[in-house]
Amino acid sequence: MVGIFDNPGLLLFFIFSGVLVAGALGVVFHPNPISSAVLLVLSFFALAGIYAVIGSVFVATMQVLVYAGAIMVLVVFVLMLLSLHDEGIAKLWNHPLKKVLVLSVVVLLAIVLIHSVKEGIPNTEASPKGYSESGSYEYTLSKSEEGKVGVIAEGNTAAVGSSMFLDYLLPFEIVSILLLAAVLGAVILGKKNLGKKTEEGEP
């Protein structure tokens, strides 16, 4: 069995995974929303590192440019718009029922994580989609027929784009609508808070 220190890719995976989990916990439990946003950026960079380790360079690049860049600017803008203040989690721990609920969810997620690590990647015998037999990035758009050559998208970017807009088009559009609804909801909540401040005579 190959040790972790004998496999640089596996070692980097565990390092990035640890940073990702720590950053995600910081996002949830940190009392300052702006600090939580910064920790979320750290989590995005760690996730991009994981994508780079497994060979998905294009996805790692998009993770940094889109999520760690554009999306986080939008998140910070919304936080500023809502004028959120420091709020601790002391109120949460004053209710025993909420304590039990939170700890139960944490234990359940820990069990699922440990079980997933032990089981490993499922369906290892099936050929992965987007790869050729030689290990290069290929996505078959149309199968070859007699006397005709099939259309194959070659390269990491082409394989990811083909799979996204052919196999996962509906989930992609649903996520887009969900993000749009979240932005509109944040703007509406921000306008309500601004209206209350104006009525109360606050600057």
Side-chain angles (χ1 to χ4, degrees), residues 103-164:
L103 292 177
S104 300
V105 172
V106 171
V107 171
L108 179 62
L109 291 177
I111 293 174
V112 172
L113 179 61
I114 293 173
H115 179 72
S116 301
V117 172
K118 286 184 178 180
E119 291 294 326
I121 302 175
N123 302 323
T124 53
E125 297 180 357
S127 58
K129 185 178 293 185
Y131 288 93
S132 64
E133 295 180 356
S134 61
S136 60
Y137 291 103
E138 289 184 0
Y139 188 92
T140 303
L141 298 175
S142 63
K143 296 182 179 180
S144 58
E145 300 177 357
E146 294 182 1
K148 295 182 180 180
V149 179
V151 179
I152 298 176
E154 298 181 354
N156 183 227
T157 305
V160 171
S162 302
S163 180
M164 178 182 295

Side-chain angles (χ1 to χ4, degrees), residues 59-129:
V59 179
T61 306
M62 291 299 102
Q63 180 74 26
V64 173
L65 293 179
V66 177
Y67 286 96
I71 297 298
M72 281 313 304
V73 170
L74 181 62
V75 169
V76 173
F77 174 75
V78 170
L79 290 176
M80 296 296 186
L81 183 66
L82 293 178
S83 300
L84 297 176
H85 301 285
D86 294 352
E87 295 181 359
I89 58 173
K91 295 181 179 179
L92 175 66
W93 298 110
N94 291 334
H95 299 79
L97 184 59
K98 291 184 179 180
K99 272 186 184 180
V100 174
L101 181 61
V102 171
L103 292 177
S104 300
V105 172
V106 171
V107 171
L108 179 62
L109 291 177
I111 293 174
V112 172
L113 179 61
I114 293 173
H115 179 72
S116 301
V117 172
K118 286 184 178 180
E119 291 294 326
I121 302 175
N123 302 323
T124 53
E125 297 180 357
S127 58
K129 185 178 293 185

Side-chain angles (χ1 to χ4, degrees), residues 2 6 19 23-24 27-28 30 32 47 50 68 70 89 94 97 116 119 124 130 138 163 197:
V2 179
D6 297 330
V19 174
V27 172
V28 175
H30 202 283
N32 191 338
L47 184 59
I50 293 176
I89 58 173
N94 291 334
L97 184 59
S116 301
E119 291 294 326
T124 53
E138 289 184 0
S163 180
K197 288 184 178 181

